[in-house]
Amino acid sequence: MNILTPNSPTADLQALDAAHHMHPFTQGAGLNEKGARIITRADGCWLNDSDGNRILDAMAGLWCVNVGYGRKELAEAAARQMQELPYYNTFFQTSHVPALNLAARLAQLAPGDLNHVFFANGGSDANDTNLRMVRTYWAEKGQPEKNVIISRWNAYHGSTIGGTSLGGMKGMHGQGDLPIPGIEFIEQPNWWAEGGDMTPEEFGLKRAQELEAKILEIGQDKVAAFIAEPIQGAGGVIVPPETYWPEIQRIVDKYGILLIADEVICGFGRTGEWFGSQKINIRPDIMTIAKGLSSGYMPIGGSIVSDEVAKVIGGTEFNHGYTYSGHPVACAVAMENLRILEDEKIVETVRDVTGPYLKEKFESLTAHPMVGEAKIVGMMGSIALTPNKETRAPFKADAGTIGFITRERCFANNLIMRHVGDRMIISPPLVISKEEIDTLIERAWLSLNEAHERILAEGLFE
Ligand code: PXG
């Protein structure tokens, strides 16, 4: 077999990819005809593709490369660990140094009494752990019927059966007969799209109170937990109104429901705090982590759980775990990644310097005729595209048509800025510099202008 290299011709790489490689969340036939963009190398915030383009990655891969690409320390941490102990498991009464160190470090970083870590390979399987853990928790406390988990429409919690079921993506539920029983949904706090005539504050309160109504409808004695992302990521970077989270915290406290904060995107500095929960001031019982934990250099995720949850779960044999739970190489890389985040004051820089700078520039995009609102917290932001800023009307074209056109212009201008429906989203590496932020905004303007021209020409600006 002919093994290709990053220097092989693009057409060869694309042909082999099309022949054998199935892509996530992709219509394979369409992609294979067009050919995938082949990324070959990366450093800092920049990607190289097989055609020699330099692309500004304003998505940090998939919201994960927090310390940027090309950090030799992380490669060295992996190489060291591979030579010392490439693998051992943490089942059957054994442990190893990288896992116990990382768990202790996470307990130190996490807020409140979140002092115990159960490792997974990513966010989806960590949420599967959470699903089984909260149900086991209540069963151990003598309330096995307290097993319903409430989530939100348009939430993303992963792609496994548990993750898909917990998530509120209808297009995902439609494939594979999901969600599994025992998951209920409330609406999301997306004021721009769904707030009607209400002020954001009124709307935030109303959407939070849907949780209370749902608990009363199902019965307090049947609800195990509420799961939510502090700020929805894959759903389009939906920043909830200020009134939303305090009300959610009041409700979960009042009814004794466990709160699972899915920090897979928000964690490890993305919001300008170590965890999104700290940014929005909530006290979760469990946090899901992944992505920024290793800056994407190794697959690793997990659940950080409270003293109380750990105590109850520790009272039984929790029959759950993955071959690679606490993989030593992934743990060693995560540990080094946390060291970099801390020693280089990356979280503080996002909070105090580059975050505020990006916010100012990003919000200036609302001067564009097609941009309704710009919302950004730390290094995760979105803009809403609209034909009418006053009424916040959606475009008449199918949802996502305009977003897709805009994203294509971004790609053509060597900027990775994605679309979710007709919202454009960014989540750059946390190490992005002010100069790179300027480049990001320039390319976003250019792409918006080109998309706008095309949309006008095609009569779609309505
Ligand atoms: N929870 C949240 C909040 C996520 O964003 C997961 C769980 C699942 O993590 P893993 O590691 O199993 O993928 C995620 C992942 C997108 C996109 O298109 C977002 C994610 C994954 C893939 C694509 O925005 N988020």
Side-chain angles (χ1 to χ4, degrees):
M1 186 196 130
N2 186 15
I3 297 179
L4 302 181
T5 75
N7 298 323
S8 299
T10 299
D12 294 357
L13 293 161
Q14 287 176 330
L16 202 58
D17 189 68
H20 303 291
H21 181 200
M22 299 171 80
H23 291 246
F25 285 86
T26 299
Q27 193 225 355
L31 176 68
N32 292 344
E33 199 171 309
K34 174 171 146 203
R37 190 166 196 172
I38 314 280
I39 305 301
T40 50
R41 292 185 178 77
D43 55 279
C45 299
W46 295 86
L47 307 171
N48 287 18
D49 72 10
S50 56
D51 290 331
N53 291 302
R54 286 277 284 168
I55 306 156
L56 179 58
D57 183 10
M59 283 305 299
L62 268 182
W63 323 76
C64 55
V65 188
N66 288 12
V67 299
Y69 299 93
R71 295 296 307 234
K72 291 216 165 38
E73 304 94 311
L74 296 179
E76 285 159 9
R80 269 197 310 274
Q81 188 58 48
M82 282 204 183
Q83 291 170 69
E84 193 165 285
L85 179 71
Y87 176 75
Y88 201 70
N89 68 73
T90 53
F91 292 45
F92 314 125
Q93 323 266 308
T94 62
S95 195
H96 53 67
V97 178
L100 62 89
N101 270 334
L102 182 61
R105 182 77 182 99
L106 288 168
Q108 188 186 39
L109 284 172
D113 68 347
L114 299 175
N115 288 321
H116 311 270
V117 184
F118 196 106
F119 287 112
N121 308 297
S124 304
D125 52 332
N127 279 327
D128 281 34
T129 300
N130 295 340
L131 196 157
R132 299 192 64 208
M133 193 170 332
V134 297
R135 288 180 172 174
T136 305
Y137 171 85
W138 289 114
E140 282 302 301
K141 284 176 75 95
Q143 291 177 270
E145 69 293 345
K146 204 165 156 65
N147 64 3
V148 175
I149 301 171
I150 302 177
S151 179
R152 307 181 298 178
W153 293 117
N154 200 36
Y156 189 79
H157 297 301
S159 225
T160 51
I161 297 206
T164 303
S165 294
L166 290 169
M169 301 280 175
K170 291 182 180 155
M172 292 177 73
H173 289 172
Q175 295 172 323
D177 200 14
L178 299 173
I180 57 168
I183 318 277
E184 297 279 338
F185 295 89
I186 60 174
E187 297 290 345
Q188 60 172 337
N190 181 348
W191 175 79
W192 176 266
E194 301 170 6
D197 293 335
M198 274 178 263
T199 65
E201 291 70 28
E202 290 165 350
F203 178 72
L205 214 50
K206 176 167 181 293
R207 282 285 154 100
Q209 286 162 355
E210 285 182 22
L211 177 60
E212 188 158 30
K214 187 57 98 179
I215 293 168
L216 294 173
E217 177 196 319
I218 302 165
Q220 176 181 355
D221 53 346
K222 300 238 165 30
V223 181
F226 175 63
I227 183 169
E229 306 151 79
I231 296 166
Q232 287 155 267
V237 186
I238 310 299
V239 180
E242 297 277 332
T243 48
Y244 182 77
W245 275 110
E247 185 66 1
I248 293 283
Q249 183 71 59
R250 180 191 73 75
I251 294 166
V252 293
D253 286 348
K254 177 171 174 191
Y255 295 97
I257 308 289
L258 295 174
L259 176 59
I260 307 169
D262 187 335
E263 295 268 3
V264 168
I265 287 176
C266 293
F268 304 103
R270 175 85 22 224
T271 68
E273 299 290 340
W274 275 91
F275 296 97
S277 294
Q278 295 163 318
K279 182 76 194 174
I280 57 170
N281 218 357
I282 56 169
R283 287 174 278 103
D285 301 284
I286 300 179
M287 296 195 310
T288 322
I289 54 170
K291 293 193 192 275
L293 168 58
S294 65
S295 283
Y297 280 62
M298 287 294 286
I300 182 168
S303 310
I304 315 185
V305 318
S306 69
D307 290 341
E308 158 71 7
V309 172
K311 188 173 112 230
V312 173
I313 292 297
T316 185
E317 181 171 334
F318 185 39
N319 296 309
H320 180 83
Y322 309 107
T323 301
Y324 301 126
S325 286
H327 190 285
V329 180
C331 287
V333 170
M335 197 72 181
E336 181 64 6
N337 174 62
L338 297 179
R339 186 198 63 72
I340 293 174
L341 283 169
E342 184 176 37
D343 285 1
E344 298 182 9
K345 298 200 176 350
I346 291 174
V347 184
E348 292 87 338
T349 304
V350 169
R351 187 188 62 204
D352 301 333
V353 186
T354 46
Y357 186 79
L358 176 61
K359 183 171 160 68
E360 186 196 325
K361 300 278 164 177
F362 194 67
E363 286 175 349
S364 74
L365 293 172
T366 53
H368 192 278
M370 206 159 67
V371 177
E373 68 165 5
K375 287 281 176 193
I376 183 158
V377 177
M379 293 267 162
M380 57 191 294
S382 64
I383 52 180
L385 305 180
T386 178
N388 188 330
K389 300 181 190 221
E390 281 304 303
T391 62
R392 316 201 302 274
F395 289 95
K396 288 205 179 114
D398 289 344
T401 308
I402 306 301
F404 181 79
I405 292 172
T406 309
R407 188 200 69 177
E408 292 302 285
R409 294 323 306 155
C410 292
F411 276 24
N413 290 317
N414 286 334
L415 169 67
I416 308 267
M417 170 156 90
R418 293 239 320 273
H419 79 113
V420 176
D422 292 320
R423 284 188 93 87
M424 305 303 299
I425 60 175
I426 60 164
S427 164
L430 305 186
V431 294
I432 191 170
S433 68
K434 287 186 173 176
E435 294 71 38
E436 287 166 333
I437 289 172
D438 290 342
T439 305
L440 190 169
I441 298 297
E442 276 160 28
R443 291 186 184 182
W445 264 107
L446 173 66
S447 307
L448 283 163
N449 281 342
E450 290 175 0
H452 187 213
E453 251 171 58
R454 181 166 152 208
I455 290 157
L456 283 172
E458 293 184 13
L460 291 171
F461 196 75
E462 54 171 20

